[in-house]
Amino acid sequence: MKSIIKSLLAPVGLLAVLPFMASCETDTDSNPTLQQPTTFVLNTPAYAENNVYDLANAETVNLTTTQPDYGFPIATNYQVQVSLDQAFTGVTTVEVPEGIDYETLANSYNQANMDVDATELNNAIVSLYQRANGGADPSGKELAAYIRLVAHVNGTDLGWCCSNVITLPRVVVSYIAVLPTDVYVAGPSIRGGGEPKELGAVYGNTGEWYGMVYMAAGSTLTYGDATSQASVPTTLDDQAEAGASLTDNGVTFANAGWYALYLKIAIENNSLRSALAVYPGIAAVTGNATNGFVGDAGYDATAWYLTAPADASGQWESPAFTGSGELRAYINIPGLDWWRTEFTIYNGSLYWRDADIASDWATNVGADYSVACSPGQKLYVNFDYDTAEVK
């Protein structure tokens, strides 16, 4: 993670009180003012210099700190950041400059004495090492790790500050395979080769992702997370006559065209194994706007396939709607129910289904995720940048 997520939500009572406190700076006994500290102290653990932290075989790493000086005791949230770059020790602001690689652990803590999850710390250090060393395995190596805390007033966007950096000079990690939470694909034909494209998670199926890509003849594709897309699938199943093959540089496509990707990732013997299936690029609309749903008697799903453009620069176009109601659309992945690969439009971008929709998007997800359709309108999609509109 390369950024800190700052909550913009705060308890109503606290936000109502803080302006009053700020207007009473001299009355510090009854109405103390919330101060903005510049730093606070993270203590170096006792015996850190000589102790070996074997993170893969530990449950927690204990860290203690003094609360930032907000002028009075107040509930504080602490986030743990770790780096293998010694330059991290010179960072004195909350926002870490680009060029210093670091990870912010997912778990946060509300006590000044915190037991940090050792596995989470282990995996962050492994990821940092692999990014800096071409994916090499750091298992068993003794490394120096640099750790600091970032704090803010719990439940608010106030009081952000960072601690000093401490050094754990002897840390041993082991690679522990974990399923990714997000998957991106990248290649010279994807978004002009300038940025990766996120795949949608198959709704209800763990470790499965899907998406639509245009591949030029001879172009390659790799996958990974938001930071690095250097992985090549373990196995490949070309069901689209794409002339796809596995190479050291990724999946190479001999034939140009639009293709639907279906990626499965699983853990076997502490290793990630991935299987990529390539299908013909098919997207379709269904539901009330088409006067029927996939699977209804007499309903012809093929009649509602979108027409694909010639290349990545164009838009997909649906047939004109014949009914009114909420947009329901999907990417066709053979063997999967249509609703597992369903999407809607949110703020102009495709939004992959991630919730149980017993009724409709408006009822089960929210009105902002529901797109109204009328007879004669069409769905237009740019599957290269995953944007869309109904007009």
Side-chain angles (χ1 to χ4, degrees), residues 46-302:
Y47 312 114
E49 188 68 31
N50 299 312
N51 185 38
V52 176
Y53 289 86
D54 185 359
L55 297 179
N57 293 303
E59 293 185 1
T60 61
V61 173
N62 182 254
L63 296 178
T64 61
T65 185
T66 57
Q67 185 182 78
D69 184 9
Y70 292 122
F72 55 94
I74 191 168
T76 304
N77 178 275
Y78 301 97
Q79 295 171 283
V80 180
Q81 295 183 338
V82 59
S83 179
L84 298 180
D85 185 347
Q86 192 170 12
F88 191 60
T89 61
V91 178
T92 58
T93 61
V94 171
E95 302 296 340
V96 178
E98 292 295 329
I100 297 177
D101 202 9
Y102 71 102
E103 289 278 345
T104 302
L105 304 191
N107 286 321
S108 60
Y109 304 87
N110 293 325
Q111 300 293 329
N113 187 324
M114 61 202 79
D115 289 323
V116 177
D117 186 290
T119 299
E120 189 178 7
L121 185 57
N122 175 89
N123 292 346
I125 292 174
V126 169
S127 178
L128 289 166
Y129 183 90
Q130 289 182 323
R131 291 205 294 264
N133 294 276
D137 185 358
S139 298
K141 294 182 180 293
E142 195 170 283
L143 308 169
Y146 304 94
I147 296 175
R148 75 171 190 172
L149 302 178
V150 174
H152 63 100
V153 177
N154 195 35
T156 80
D157 197 40
L158 303 172
W160 285 88
C161 57
C162 62
S163 75
N164 58 297
V165 176
I166 65 169
T167 304
L168 302 182
R170 305 180 66 191
V171 173
V172 175
V173 296
S174 295
Y175 174 79
I176 301 173
V178 293
L179 287 176
T181 55
D182 303 299
V183 172
Y184 292 74
V185 291
S189 290
I190 296 173
R191 299 187 175 180
E195 63 177 290
K197 168 185 164 77
E198 186 173 10
L199 298 183
V202 176
Y203 176 69
N205 291 3
T206 301
E208 299 182 11
W209 291 265
Y210 65 99
M212 188 82 75
V213 295
Y214 178 82
M215 302 301 296
S219 61
T220 58
L221 174 150
T222 54
Y223 78 91
D225 59 21
T227 304
S228 173
Q229 303 82 42
S231 297
V232 178
T234 311
T235 62
L236 174 67
D237 181 15
D238 181 1
Q239 293 290 320
E241 298 183 354
S245 60
L246 290 176
T247 67
D248 291 340
N249 296 324
V251 181
T252 299
F253 289 74
N255 304 321
W258 285 98
Y259 301 105
L261 306 179
Y262 179 32
L263 180 68
K264 295 182 179 180
I265 303 178
I267 299 173
E268 297 180 13
N269 299 320
N270 198 35
S271 296
L272 292 179
R273 292 186 60 83
S274 55
L276 177 66
V278 179
Y279 293 107
I282 297 173
V285 291
T286 188
N288 292 332
T290 67
N291 292 309
F293 281 84
V294 175
D296 287 352
Y299 181 81
D300 181 10
T302 63

Side-chain angles (χ1 to χ4, degrees), residues 317-321 374-380 389-391:
E317 180 180 337
S318 78
F321 305 143
S374 300
Q377 290 185 313
K378 296 181 179 182
L379 170 65
Y380 298 88
E389 61 178 335
V390 167
K391 62 181 181 179

